[in-house]
Amino acid sequence: MKALYGQQNSPGEEMTFVFQERESLPPTRDHDVKVQVRACALSWMDTKLLSEIKLKKELVPVGREISGVVLEDSSPCSFFFPGILPLDSEESGVCEVILVHEHYLVHKPQKVCWAEAAGTVRDGLRAYTALHYLSQLSPGTSVLVLDGASPFGTIAIQLAQHRGAKVISTAHSLEDKQYLERLRPTGGRVIDVSHGKIDVAESCLEETGGLGVDIVLDAGVRLYSAEDEPTSKSQLLPHKHDIITLLGVGGHWITMEKNLQLDPPDSHSLFLKGATVSFLNDEIWNLSNVQQGKYLDILWWSYIMEKLSSSVFRPQLDEPIPLYEAKVSMEIVQKNQARKRQVIQF
């Protein structure tokens, strides 16, 4: 039985991925269940974060969003579960059979396929955190989702529309724009930034009658001028000043830019608007559980599965990937070159 792991010989080095043969499962602990994995989604691995919270290992397990069947006495029972393995898990989700603590699993509706369950749970959790906990989304609110055709952007748009918000999104290519136009309701707007000729702030102010946007979900922002920005930073991302300009009074800026720097004039502009800035950390639910115990609020996950079952969520997934291609697919994900969510199907 093979399992996929990542390894990094020294800080700053590119991570490589290897299959390791497993002879048997580790000893079972209280509340552990044996799961036959049917699908596992691949996500970028933050090795710096793992080092900061002292969880860096020589071999880091790959694949934490899974769906599968709980096994009893080596035979499948009638319980089907998706879930996210914790940061401190020794198990790789890219493996046929693993042990999982029962509190990291929720029931999968029968209408939901394996790949969709595994491929939606992380982005659904992030979107729900951003729009429900960090910004208190309500009907009639205006929401800007940057890079709306990304897996996270797609789910965020669908959740905002379901809650009655007016959604504006940006597209990084013509293909993205066409995809987003099929998602949006009548009256929404997709801003094509692929040519660099569109002013996002101006477009949003025009769309909102000069009032500005109530909620902004970014996909990272540029902190410096185009000449001074690192080449790794996409020039399609808006500048932080653009976000502050287009944000409305009492607005909420939800950012994924971990190195965000706000100068005194930036802070003063946000102060005058009574606006807030919140950081959307992919692992916030996980970090709190590493520090405070392993009991999760599984209501979030159940909510995500319910919306997936009722077709509120229609995730942006690539074609299911066979196990033998998992190593190559993970290399693509780690280089941030995958535009759709990659899911390994067993």
Side-chain angles (χ1 to χ4, degrees):
M1 188 167 58
K2 292 181 178 180
L4 186 63
Y5 295 86
Q7 58 183 6
Q8 187 180 36
N9 296 324
S10 60
E13 257 193 29
E14 195 171 281
M15 181 167 270
T16 57
F17 299 94
V18 294
F19 276 109
Q20 293 283 316
E21 199 69 41
R22 297 183 61 178
E23 294 182 1
S24 60
L25 292 173
T28 304
R29 299 168 298 182
D30 289 343
H31 304 291
D32 276 351
V33 293
K34 187 187 294 185
V35 175
Q36 181 182 12
V37 179
R38 294 295 180 85
C40 176
L42 303 179
S43 298
W44 181 76
M45 299 175 66
D46 191 340
T47 54
K48 185 178 179 182
L49 173 65
L50 291 173
S51 296
E52 288 174 350
I53 60 175
K54 313 300 183 186
L55 288 178
K56 187 74 176 292
K57 313 178 185 74
E58 183 178 348
L59 290 175
V60 183
V62 171
R64 292 174 37 227
E65 303 98 77
I66 63 164
S67 62
V69 183
V70 171
L71 299 175
E72 288 184 351
D73 300 324
S74 300
S75 62
C77 68
S78 59
F79 298 98
F80 307 89
F81 291 89
I84 304 180
L85 302 180
L87 273 173
D88 57 351
S89 173
E90 300 289 338
E91 297 280 7
S92 165
V94 186
C95 186
E96 293 178 353
V97 179
I98 63 175
L99 290 179
V100 185
H101 193 283
E102 63 183 4
H103 290 107
Y104 291 105
L105 300 170
V106 295
H107 182 71
K108 179 184 80 65
Q110 285 190 338
K111 290 172 60 178
V112 177
C113 72
W114 301 112
E116 286 186 343
T120 308
V121 65
R122 171 181 285 267
D123 293 316
L125 182 60
R126 294 166 69 201
Y128 189 73
T129 301
L131 295 174
H132 180 75
Y133 284 96
L134 299 180
S135 57
Q136 291 82 49
L137 178 70
S138 58
T141 302
S142 57
V143 179
L144 170 64
V145 180
L146 296 164
D147 192 13
S150 66
F152 167 70
T154 296
I155 297 298
I157 288 171
Q158 292 167 350
L159 179 57
Q161 289 177 346
H162 176 67
R163 293 286 185 88
K166 177 182 180 180
V167 180
I168 307 168
S169 57
T170 62
H172 287 188
S173 67
L174 177 60
E175 182 183 0
D176 285 354
K177 181 182 179 183
Q178 292 170 343
Y179 171 76
L180 290 170
E181 285 176 338
R182 294 195 296 270
L183 282 182
R184 66 181 175 90
T186 304
R189 179 166 181 180
V190 178
I191 304 171
D192 186 355
V193 298
S194 59
H195 302 296
K197 298 177 181 178
I198 302 295
D199 187 316
V200 175
E202 184 179 316
S203 299
C204 289
L205 290 171
E206 177 187 327
E207 188 69 21
T208 58
L211 296 176
V213 175
D214 298 315
I215 300 171
V216 178
L217 302 186
D218 73 29
V221 294
R222 289 186 289 115
L223 303 177
Y224 313 105
S225 62
E227 298 77 24
D228 298 330
E229 198 72 53
T231 54
S232 59
K233 180 84 72 170
S234 173
Q235 294 300 311
L236 298 178
L237 295 175
H239 195 278
K240 62 179 179 180
H241 294 150
D242 295 330
I243 302 295
I244 295 171
T245 299
L246 64 83
L247 199 61
V249 173
H252 302 277
W253 176 9
I254 315 301
T255 183
M256 286 185 269
E257 181 55 64
K258 64 178 72 175
N259 297 315
L260 180 66
Q261 299 176 30
L262 295 176
D263 300 321
D266 301 330
S267 297
H268 187 64
S269 295
L270 291 168
F271 170 76
L272 292 176
K273 294 185 176 187
T276 63
V277 179
S278 300
F279 291 87
L280 181 59
N281 179 351
D282 283 9
E283 304 294 350
I284 186 61
W285 63 271
N286 221 322
L287 291 174
S288 63
N289 282 280
V290 166
Q291 296 164 2
Q292 300 171 12
K294 294 188 175 181
Y295 293 96
L296 296 174
D297 185 355
I298 62 172
L299 293 177
W300 290 13
W301 294 359
S302 299
Y303 176 87
I304 293 162
M305 288 301 110
E306 175 197 332
K307 297 308 175 191
L308 193 56
S309 177
S310 59
S311 298
V312 171
F313 290 159
R314 300 180 302 284
Q316 175 80 305
L317 305 182
D318 216 334
E319 291 296 319
I321 301 162
L323 179 60
Y324 64 83
E325 292 183 6
K327 179 176 175 291
V328 174
S329 297
M330 189 59 208
E331 289 171 353
I332 293 171
V333 170
Q334 193 64 19
K335 293 175 182 176
N336 285 317
Q337 295 175 350
R339 285 298 292 164
K340 296 181 179 181
R341 180 65 66 200
Q342 306 294 296
V343 180
I344 308 300
Q345 188 147 339
F346 294 82

